[in-house]
Amino acid sequence: PLALLGMVVGFRRGGDAGYLAGFAVLYGLALVGFFPSARYTVPMLPVLLVLAFLGAGALIHAPSTKTRAIHAAILLLAAVVVNVPAKMPTDRVNFRAELHRHVGIGLQTRGRLDEPLVQYDLALEADPNAAATHYYRGTALLADDRLDEAEPAFRRALSIRDDYTEAMHDLAIVLYRAKRIDEAITLLEQAIAIRPDYRSAMRNLAVALAASGRREEAERWLKAAARPEVGPY
């Protein structure tokens, strides 16, 4: 609040104080437009401290009672504004759930299969509707060949986010291993329809088609998966 008062005073006085106030406004707008994360606000702190001293000085050394009253009113208004309980985009992120999920992913990449499941369960306690957590829990169960448990995990991820192509792909693998090949083919086709460049889905679709005797279609998908990617370098 004192810094906001200092900005008002700085713009009125002009000169160096005006430049400081202008920097605070422009840099602050850039932060809001980008991402209001603590590490990006650090360069503003020295400037805000100087402006806060300027605001305090404007209150103490006001040339008249009327001016002091105006400054006090601005300070009170600033105090109210900065304490309004506004929802920021980051408030919608459940950081406890995110933390446990990423710890689980880290453990899983190191081949430790039981510990990730504990982390994913903790993440789901914090946020039961996180499709990504259900998906990664399914991948850990699939890696441990626990197909009966992996299937509902992937289906839960898809019930939350019906365009989750990775969950479709991995659920298809579960179904293929369970000898439910037609269902696996349907899911892989859906994944490719949503994501036409999904080469892993193309390769696995070819495997499933070949297993069901549809060799010409399998060959076509293998050729599609083998085509060189075309795009910007």
Side-chain angles (χ1 to χ4, degrees), residues 157-179:
L158 286 168
S159 72
I160 297 168
R161 200 180 116 197
D162 61 4
D163 63 344
Y164 204 151
T165 53
E166 290 86 354
M168 291 177 191
H169 174 275
D170 288 11
L171 176 56
I173 292 174
V174 171
L175 296 171
Y176 179 84
R177 289 188 186 177
K179 310 299 182 186

Side-chain angles (χ1 to χ4, degrees), residues 136-207:
Y136 281 106
R137 185 173 181 276
T139 63
L141 292 164
L142 176 59
D144 201 23
D145 208 30
R146 294 157 64 177
L147 303 184
D148 290 343
E149 296 173 79
E151 180 178 349
F154 290 132
R155 291 197 183 280
R156 178 63 178 141
L158 286 168
S159 72
I160 297 168
R161 200 180 116 197
D162 61 4
D163 63 344
Y164 204 151
T165 53
E166 290 86 354
M168 291 177 191
H169 174 275
D170 288 11
L171 176 56
I173 292 174
V174 171
L175 296 171
Y176 179 84
R177 289 188 186 177
K179 310 299 182 186
R180 294 154 63 185
I181 297 174
D182 289 341
E183 293 176 68
I185 289 171
T186 300
L187 273 172
L188 290 167
E189 288 174 341
Q190 288 175 5
I192 295 167
I194 295 170
R195 196 168 129 196
D197 61 343
Y198 200 170
R199 292 172 184 267
S200 180
M202 293 177 193
R203 289 190 293 270
N204 283 310
L205 176 56
V207 171

Side-chain angles (χ1 to χ4, degrees), residues 6-93:
M7 284 184 206
V8 174
V9 174
F11 280 128
R12 288 187 64 191
R13 290 186 183 178
D16 292 341
Y19 285 122
L20 280 174
F23 169 81
V25 170
L26 292 175
Y27 191 82
L29 288 173
L31 280 176
V32 172
F34 174 54
F35 191 77
S37 179
R39 64 184 179 274
Y40 299 110
T41 65
V42 172
M44 286 190 70
L45 293 178
V47 177
L48 292 178
L49 283 170
V50 173
L51 290 171
F53 279 113
L54 186 61
L59 276 174
I60 296 168
H61 303 294
S64 66
T65 303
K66 180 181 178 182
T67 302
R68 183 176 287 110
I70 291 171
H71 289 167
I74 293 171
L75 182 64
L76 288 172
L77 178 62
V80 170
V81 168
V82 299
N83 285 290
V84 170
K87 285 281 187 183
M88 300 301 291
T90 47
D91 293 331
R92 294 195 291 270
V93 178

Side-chain angles (χ1 to χ4, degrees), residues 195-228:
R195 196 168 129 196
D197 61 343
Y198 200 170
R199 292 172 184 267
S200 180
M202 293 177 193
R203 289 190 293 270
N204 283 310
L205 176 56
V207 171
L209 288 167
S212 64
R214 296 157 64 179
R215 295 186 178 277
E216 289 184 7
E217 293 175 75
E219 183 180 350
R220 189 175 75 246
W221 281 113
L222 282 174
K223 287 179 178 178
R227 278 199 296 264

